[in-house]
């Protein structure tokens, strides 16, 4: 999914998102794993709200997104905040190439649900793990199967902002393991309309755990991705802390 048409109104239509709470949790987990500075990659960074917060507290950020329009908005925000050191890469994270290693990576707001069926998720996790230093962390969230089956289901949502009106239609497809989504955006002051269609896939926690293991990532903790407390049966989002495994060759020698 590129979110090209959606990019210009994404922030306005997503204004209820609590980026400050997300930032506080992400930063606390990074610090708990000894990542207080250094290079961190935000995979599926979108318009950069989390990227900019992490850059503001001293991390050297790389923002990666498949949407050039999203990255353009992030670039404008960074310029306004005089945070001009953020490296922006327009890439599909299933084919990620960071050209070097990072101390940690983050991927939030269900970016990984857009990757595709389970084999594509495995590929994305392998590519992310490839560029994370041994002992580094990958923090990511995913919309849960419960959210797809119950909350998204076949519902239609209307989202209104000052300069845009969005109709969001879902069609739950259990056999395909995804929800088919169509978005119509109209603009009160303009005689224009944009449309986008995409699929969001869902994965069980055992499938996510196995995919991480295959990528050399050990899941350390999974919490509710909304309040960052204990996971519940009706949690809408998994938030995963995974650690890059250290191989025997990479372990330090002991006297």
């Amino acid at each position: 999914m590129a979110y090209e048409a959606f990019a210009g109104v994404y922030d306005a239509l997503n204004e209820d998102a609590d980026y400050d709470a997300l930032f506080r949790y992400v930063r606390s987990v990074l610090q708990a794993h000894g990542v207080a500075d250094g290079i961190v990659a935000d995979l599926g960074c979108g318009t950069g709200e989390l990227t900019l917060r992490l850059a503001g507290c001293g991390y050297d950020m790389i923002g990666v997104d498949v949407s050039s329009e999203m990255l353009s908005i992030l670039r404008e925000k960074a310029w306004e905040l005089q945070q001009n050191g953020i490296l922006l890469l327009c890439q599909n994270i299933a084919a990620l190439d960071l050209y070097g290693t990072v101390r940690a990576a983050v991927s939030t707001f269900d970016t990984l649900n857009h990757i595709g069926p389970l084999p594509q998720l495995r590929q994305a996790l392998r590519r992310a793990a490839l560029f994370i230093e041994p002992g580094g962390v990958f923090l990511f969230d995913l919309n849960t199967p419960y959210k797809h089956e119950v909350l998204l289901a076949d519902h239609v949502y209307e989202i209104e902002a000052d300069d845009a009106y969005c109709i969001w239609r879902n069609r739950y497809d259990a056999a395909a393991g995804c929800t088919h989504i169509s978005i119509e955006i109209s603009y009160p002051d303009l005689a224009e309309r944009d449309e986008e269609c995409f699929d969001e896939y869902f994965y069980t926690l055992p499938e996510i755990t196995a995919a991480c293991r295959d990528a050399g990532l050990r899941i350390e903790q999974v919490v509710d991705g909304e309040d960052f407390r204990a996971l519940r049966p009706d949690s809408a989002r998994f938030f995963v802390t995974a650690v890059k495994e250290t191989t025997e060759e990479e372990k330090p020698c002991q006297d």
Side-chain angles (χ1 to χ4, degrees):
M1 173 184 177
Y3 266 165
E4 297 296 350
F6 200 39
V9 295
Y10 180 83
D11 287 337
L13 297 176
N14 202 35
E15 61 183 2
D16 292 335
D18 193 345
Y19 286 103
D20 290 333
L22 173 63
F23 163 70
R24 288 192 297 268
Y25 182 76
V26 167
R27 188 183 185 192
S28 70
V29 176
L30 291 176
Q31 291 181 327
H33 287 81
V35 185
D37 55 19
I39 303 174
V40 174
D42 188 352
L43 308 182
C45 60
T47 60
E49 288 298 313
L50 180 59
T51 315
L52 295 166
R53 284 166 171 78
L54 290 169
C57 69
Y59 293 102
D60 298 318
M61 295 302 300
I62 301 174
V64 183
D65 204 281
V66 72
S67 168
S68 59
E69 294 297 325
M70 289 284 196
L71 292 175
S72 178
I73 293 169
L74 171 50
R75 186 177 294 107
E76 291 177 7
K77 290 180 180 179
W79 182 81
E80 291 173 358
L81 294 171
Q82 297 183 337
Q83 292 183 356
N84 299 317
I86 300 173
L87 174 61
L88 302 181
L89 301 176
C90 189
Q91 294 183 5
N92 183 328
I93 61 177
L96 184 69
D97 190 348
L98 296 181
Y99 313 109
T101 59
V102 298
R103 298 195 65 190
V106 299
S107 184
T108 58
F109 284 94
D110 51 89
T111 292
L112 292 175
N113 291 100
H114 294 286
I115 292 297
L118 188 58
Q120 278 94 314
L121 175 67
R122 292 195 188 102
Q123 173 66 10
L125 291 173
R126 285 195 293 265
R127 293 303 298 179
L130 179 64
F131 297 101
I132 298 172
E133 296 175 2
V137 289
F138 185 20
L139 312 181
F140 62 90
D141 68 22
L142 287 156
N143 284 336
T144 62
Y146 171 85
K147 180 173 182 177
H148 280 263
E149 183 177 2
V150 177
L151 302 181
L152 295 178
D154 294 313
H155 300 311
V156 177
Y157 295 99
E158 298 181 12
I159 310 171
E160 190 169 1
D162 289 341
D163 55 356
Y165 176 76
C166 174
I167 300 176
W168 184 295
R169 293 185 173 88
N170 303 309
R171 183 168 63 84
Y172 178 68
D173 187 342
C178 71
T179 299
H180 308 289
I181 300 171
S182 64
I183 301 174
E184 297 178 10
I185 307 168
S186 57
Y187 309 90
D189 298 331
L190 300 171
E192 295 180 8
R193 179 183 296 271
D194 289 316
E195 296 183 4
E196 289 201 43
C197 297
F198 56 93
D199 296 330
E200 263 210 28
Y201 289 81
F202 54 88
Y203 323 96
T204 66
L205 197 51
E207 288 174 332
I208 296 166
T209 301
C212 282
R213 188 184 306 117
D214 176 67
L217 297 165
R218 172 178 52 82
I219 291 184
E220 184 177 87
Q221 185 180 41
V222 183
V223 299
D224 183 281
E226 302 290 344
D227 60 18
F228 309 108
R229 297 178 181 175
L231 199 63
R232 305 182 307 274
D234 64 347
S235 289
R237 182 174 285 147
F238 300 126
F239 197 101
V240 178
T241 298
V243 177
K244 169 74 175 288
E245 296 280 25
T246 303
T247 66
E248 289 298 324
E249 293 78 9
E250 293 165 331
K251 291 179 180 178
C253 296
Q254 296 182 350
D255 296 330

